[in-house]
Amino acid sequence: MIKKSTPFLIIIMMFITGCCYSQQFSYKPINPAFGGDTFNYNWLLSSANAQNSILAPRNQGEEESELDQFGESLRNQLLGQISRTLLQQQLGSLGDLTEPGSFTVGDLAVEVFESNEGLVINIFDTSNGEQTQIVIPSGG
């Protein structure tokens, strides 16, 4: 059974659809790398830089004054002297690492021995397994 209002609704729907307009969708890229307008480049770059929280490493030699460089050099020399003194105290009998032997300093296992190439110093970091070998050629 068809209601009496159904034909009326169909007629109204036909008139409404006739009044509606549509258009074709078109895509225009914004990024100039993908065919967009080249004037968008500066805006996109400045927007990306504003959102970037990672800072590029700066070259300290260019921006530091001579006074800052002198202070940094003095600091490095003082820290080097302190580390040499502490190493000398820790090594004790080995002195300046010219005698064969092995010892442990914190997480570092150090082994010193003579070979055909000269004096070999193996340094092994027990915390992460990294190893370094230093070879000092013999003088003769």
Side-chain angles (χ1 to χ4, degrees):
M1 169 176 198
I2 300 177
K3 295 183 181 180
K4 292 182 180 182
S5 63
T6 306
F8 180 69
L9 287 175
I10 293 174
I11 292 173
I12 290 178
M13 294 292 262
M14 288 173 58
F15 282 116
I16 291 175
T17 57
C19 296
C20 296
Y21 296 100
S22 66
Q23 66 182 18
Q24 182 179 0
F25 287 116
S26 64
Y27 169 74
K28 183 177 180 188
I30 296 174
N31 192 337
F34 299 108
D37 193 4
T38 56
F39 295 116
N40 292 336
Y41 176 77
N42 288 329
W43 175 78
L44 288 171
L45 183 62
S46 65
S47 175
N49 286 335
Q51 297 174 26
N52 187 4
S53 62
I54 300 172
L55 299 175
R58 62 185 184 109
N59 188 353
Q60 293 180 356
E62 295 175 359
E63 296 180 16
E64 289 184 351
S65 67
E66 288 185 25
L67 184 61
D68 290 338
Q69 291 175 358
F70 177 74
E72 184 71 21
S73 173
L74 185 61
R75 182 181 149 276
N76 288 338
Q77 288 179 15
L78 287 172
L79 290 175
Q81 181 64 35
I82 291 170
S83 66
R84 280 189 296 277
T85 303
L86 291 175
L87 183 62
Q88 216 38 271
Q89 289 173 357
Q90 180 71 28
L91 294 178
S93 66
L94 288 178
D96 60 357
L97 296 178
T98 57
E99 300 177 18
S102 62
F103 57 94
T104 303
V105 178
D107 289 339
L108 299 177
V110 180
E111 179 184 16
V112 181
F113 61 92
E114 287 284 337
S115 73
N116 294 341
E117 299 172 353
L119 184 68
V120 178
I121 303 171
N122 286 329
I123 304 170
F124 180 71
D125 189 348
T126 57
S127 65
N128 58 15
E130 291 182 359
Q131 184 173 357
T132 302
Q133 184 177 60
I134 301 169
V135 178
I136 303 170
S138 58

